[in-house]
């Protein structure tokens, strides 16, 4: 198992670049696997969990299935707090190994669960428990993966470096949807839905091999060498930077809520309301997600050139303006316009998701960055990502129209714009990390007073 103790000489630029690439690949591959697992559940919740695990009416089954989806989101801040603590105390690498095992193990077990027809009420109970375990795993995953990549990169390339693990989201979405598409057919409800979940065991093996060979991030390694690791990162975060946690939470509402409407609820809206084919919608979603593999890193790179808030703000505004046109394009039922609507929705999302990791992470010092950034990021899952499909499904069931769903998207955009205007992430030159050349920089900005790895972090 590689460690920084037996690491090669990182003063050699060629060696450092090779180690940096390994860190980026490990972060991106692991994130892809975790989000494959998470999105697989979202797709199944929209298509099969209602009739299989909830003995209810068609609309009631969908609402209950989305409710179990929500508990996974509610568990994500718990995972962020637990693994943020150990990630800031012990290191990014080992926390990421555990989150991968948690997420993958829960996914495989979901594929083995008996249905309501076999064990009755225990079916939805066990499904909910495993969804909570999934949520804890993915809650601890995000902070570590983006920091592992970002902290290995040059400070002037943080947007791009942190965006590579973010690209694991569209890759995982495309992969999970593609597997469901492959197994969809006459036997899907009868048991075909199980194989995409069970297949996750292969991905776990790949992810573990990649992650166990990566070195700890140099920022955290330097922090540990100086004996400046925070003793209680969670306490320090809430004591000194609770406002930054709230800003990170609200800035994500325009990204989180619409994303799960564009990727999960759209399957319900398209099949139930518009009577479009399930396979047709899955194929469109795969195509739209594949574009994100390019657009997410691109917008992360663009944020290095134009600024995080500029690129992110443009994505927020465009998402709000797109709320009504999105549903109008879907309602045409014309294949070309439907797929255009789905692609544009995810591109506007990617304008936020690309620079988001660096935007949020730069609000916190290295000593509490895993905890603070992870909490802010995952709390948005409770107020935006998790409730969004549930709210949209309830609105659709009550009104039969998309009007108030579009208003909901606009309200999320307004909330994000307000939070973005209040965010002031530290410039890279004021950060408490070592530069790529190894030169130390100030541990704490005197102007911001943010917690880093100086005396406050040691208190």
């Amino acid at each position: 198992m590689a460690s920084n103790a037996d690491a090669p000489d990182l003063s050699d630029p060629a060696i450092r670049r090779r180690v940096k690439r390994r860190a980026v690949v490990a972060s991106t591959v692991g994130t892809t696997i975790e989000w494959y697992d998470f999105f697989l559940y979202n797709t199944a919740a929209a298509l099969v969990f209602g009739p299989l695990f909830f003995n209810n009416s068609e609309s009631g089954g969908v609402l209950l299935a989305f409710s179990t989806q929500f508990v996974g989101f509610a568990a994500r801040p718990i995972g962020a707090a637990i693994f943020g603590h150990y990630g800031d105390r012990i290191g990014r690498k080992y926390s990421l190994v555990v989150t991968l095992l948690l997420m993958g193990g829960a996914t495989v077990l979901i594929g083995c669960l008996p249905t309501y027809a076999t064990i009755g009420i225990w079916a939805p109970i066990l499904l909910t428990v495993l969804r909570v375990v999934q949520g804890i795993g993915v809650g601890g995953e995000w902070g570590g993966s983006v920091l592992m990549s970002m902290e290995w990169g040059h400070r002037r390339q943080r947007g791009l470096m942190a965006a590579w693990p973010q690209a694991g989201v569209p890759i995982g979405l495309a992969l999970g949807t593609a597997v469901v598409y492959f197994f969809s057919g006459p036997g899907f409800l009868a048991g075909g839905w199980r194989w995409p979940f069970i297949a996750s065991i292969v991905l776990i093996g790949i992810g573990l091999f990649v992650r166990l060979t990566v070195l700890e991030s140099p920022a955290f390694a330097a922090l540990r060498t100086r004996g400046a690791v925070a003793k209680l990162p969670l306490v320090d975060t809430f004591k000194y930077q609770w406002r930054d946690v709230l800003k990170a939470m609200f800035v994500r509402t325009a990204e989180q809520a619409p994303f799960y409407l564009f990727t999960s609820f759209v399957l319900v809206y398209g099949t139930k309301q518009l009577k479009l084919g399930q396979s047709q919608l899955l194929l469109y979603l795969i195509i739209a997600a594949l574009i994100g593999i390019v657009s997410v890193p691109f917008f992360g790179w663009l944020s290095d050139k134009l600024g995080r808030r500029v690129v992110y703000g443009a994505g927020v505004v465009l998402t709000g303006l797109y709320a009504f046109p999105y549903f109008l394009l879907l309602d045409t039922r014309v294949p070309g316009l439907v797929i255009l609507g789905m692609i544009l929705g995810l591109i506007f999302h990617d304008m936020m998701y690309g620079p988001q990791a660096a935007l949020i992470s730069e609000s916190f010092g290295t000593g509490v960055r895993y905890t603070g950034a992870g909490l802010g990021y995952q709390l948005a899952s409770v107020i935006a990502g998790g409730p969004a499909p549930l709210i949209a499904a309830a609105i659709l069931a009550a009104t039969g129209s998309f009007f108030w769903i579009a208003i909901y998207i606009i309200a999320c955009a307004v909330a994000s714009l307000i939070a973005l205007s209040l965010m002031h992430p530290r410039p890279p030159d004021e950060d408490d990390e070592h530069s790529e050349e190894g030169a130390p920089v100030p541990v704490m900005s005197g102007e911001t007073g943010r917690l880093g790895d100086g005396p406050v972090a040691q208190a």
Side-chain angles (χ1 to χ4, degrees):
M1 192 179 295
S3 68
N4 287 61
D6 56 8
D9 181 11
L10 296 180
S11 63
D12 185 327
I15 294 177
R16 185 181 178 94
R17 282 194 296 271
R18 185 168 62 250
V19 173
K20 180 172 68 174
R21 283 196 297 269
R22 185 185 300 171
V24 172
V25 170
S27 297
T28 306
V29 168
T31 303
T32 297
I33 294 168
E34 297 236 10
W35 286 108
Y36 163 84
D37 292 342
F38 205 74
F39 288 136
L40 193 58
Y41 189 102
N42 295 346
T43 305
L47 299 178
V48 301
F49 282 166
L52 290 179
F53 286 87
F54 300 94
N55 188 23
N56 211 299
S57 65
E58 182 174 324
S59 61
V62 170
L63 287 171
L64 287 171
F66 278 142
S67 296
T68 64
Q69 180 183 5
F70 172 70
V71 300
F73 286 90
R76 283 164 65 171
I78 299 173
I82 294 172
F83 291 102
H85 170 82
Y86 288 106
D88 283 328
R89 287 283 299 157
I90 301 173
R92 288 46 166 138
K93 171 181 175 176
Y94 298 110
S95 293
L96 288 175
V97 170
V98 178
T99 60
L100 182 65
L101 289 172
L102 273 180
M103 189 71 186
T107 302
V108 173
L109 289 175
I110 288 174
C112 300
L113 274 183
T115 62
Y116 191 95
T118 304
I119 60 172
I121 192 64
W122 282 105
I125 291 174
L126 291 174
L127 181 67
T128 303
V129 170
L130 291 175
R131 181 58 171 175
V132 169
V133 175
Q134 273 194 328
I136 292 174
V138 81
E141 161 71 21
W142 180 84
S145 62
V146 299
L147 295 186
M148 180 65 79
S149 181
M150 189 182 86
E151 291 176 352
W152 266 107
H154 193 281
R155 288 173 292 148
R156 292 298 183 184
Q157 297 177 328
R158 279 184 175 168
L160 175 61
M161 293 295 291
W164 283 117
Q166 298 283 79
V169 170
I171 299 172
L173 174 61
L175 184 60
T177 308
V179 173
V180 172
Y181 176 80
F182 177 79
F183 283 101
S184 64
F188 191 59
L189 279 176
W193 66 272
R194 296 182 181 278
W195 293 110
F197 287 88
I198 296 173
S200 182
I201 195 168
V202 177
L203 299 179
I204 296 173
I206 296 172
L208 279 177
F209 172 77
V210 173
R211 284 200 164 167
L212 288 173
T213 59
V214 76
L215 300 179
E216 184 58 80
S217 88
F220 181 81
L223 198 71
R224 185 167 51 195
T225 299
R226 297 196 298 272
V229 174
K231 295 179 179 178
L232 296 171
L234 185 61
V235 173
D236 288 344
T237 299
F238 281 120
K239 184 176 181 180
Y240 298 104
Q241 291 199 255
W242 61 270
R243 293 180 182 85
D244 293 304
V245 171
L246 292 180
K247 292 172 192 175
M249 177 180 72
F250 283 110
V251 84
R252 293 198 67 215
T253 55
E255 173 264 316
Q256 269 277 282
F259 178 73
Y260 286 99
L261 298 183
F262 295 163
T263 60
S264 183
F265 173 73
V266 67
L267 299 176
V268 172
Y269 185 79
T271 56
K272 309 299 183 186
Q273 184 79 359
L274 304 180
K275 307 302 180 184
L276 297 174
Q278 173 182 307
S279 297
Q280 176 186 10
L281 286 171
L282 288 172
L283 182 59
Y284 294 168
L285 188 55
I286 293 169
I287 295 171
L290 287 173
I291 294 174
I293 299 173
V294 176
S295 59
V296 169
F298 169 76
F299 288 118
W301 170 83
L302 193 63
S303 75
D304 287 326
K305 307 300 180 183
L306 303 180
R308 314 273 185 253
R309 297 204 298 171
V310 172
V311 178
Y312 198 96
V316 172
V317 171
L318 288 172
T319 297
L321 293 175
Y322 189 58
F324 280 98
Y326 172 72
F327 286 101
L328 291 174
L329 286 169
L330 294 183
D331 281 2
T332 64
R333 297 179 174 86
V334 176
L337 295 179
V338 171
I339 191 171
L340 175 64
M342 296 173 73
I343 288 173
L344 288 176
L346 289 185
I347 287 177
F348 297 151
H349 162 268
D350 295 345
M351 292 182 70
M352 295 176 280
Y353 205 63
Q356 186 179 89
L359 174 72
I360 293 175
S361 298
E362 286 175 342
S363 296
F364 301 90
T366 305
V368 296
R369 183 173 288 152
Y370 199 143
T371 303
L375 273 176
Y377 183 92
Q378 301 300 351
L379 282 171
S381 305
V382 179
I383 67 167
L390 186 61
I391 291 171
I395 291 174
L396 185 63
T399 67
S401 168
F402 68 78
F403 179 84
W404 287 106
I405 302 175
I407 295 296
Y408 172 55
I409 293 175
I410 294 172
C412 289
V414 171
S416 284
L417 276 181
I418 295 172
L420 183 64
S421 69
L422 298 174
M423 289 185 77
H424 299 286
R426 69 178 70 213
D429 287 341
E430 293 182 11
D431 197 20
D432 48 344
E433 296 181 13
H434 285 215
S435 70
E436 187 162 327
E437 292 75 22
V441 294
V443 298
M444 192 170 180
S445 168
E447 296 179 2
T448 63
R450 289 192 176 94
L451 183 64
D453 59 350
V456 177
Q458 301 177 57

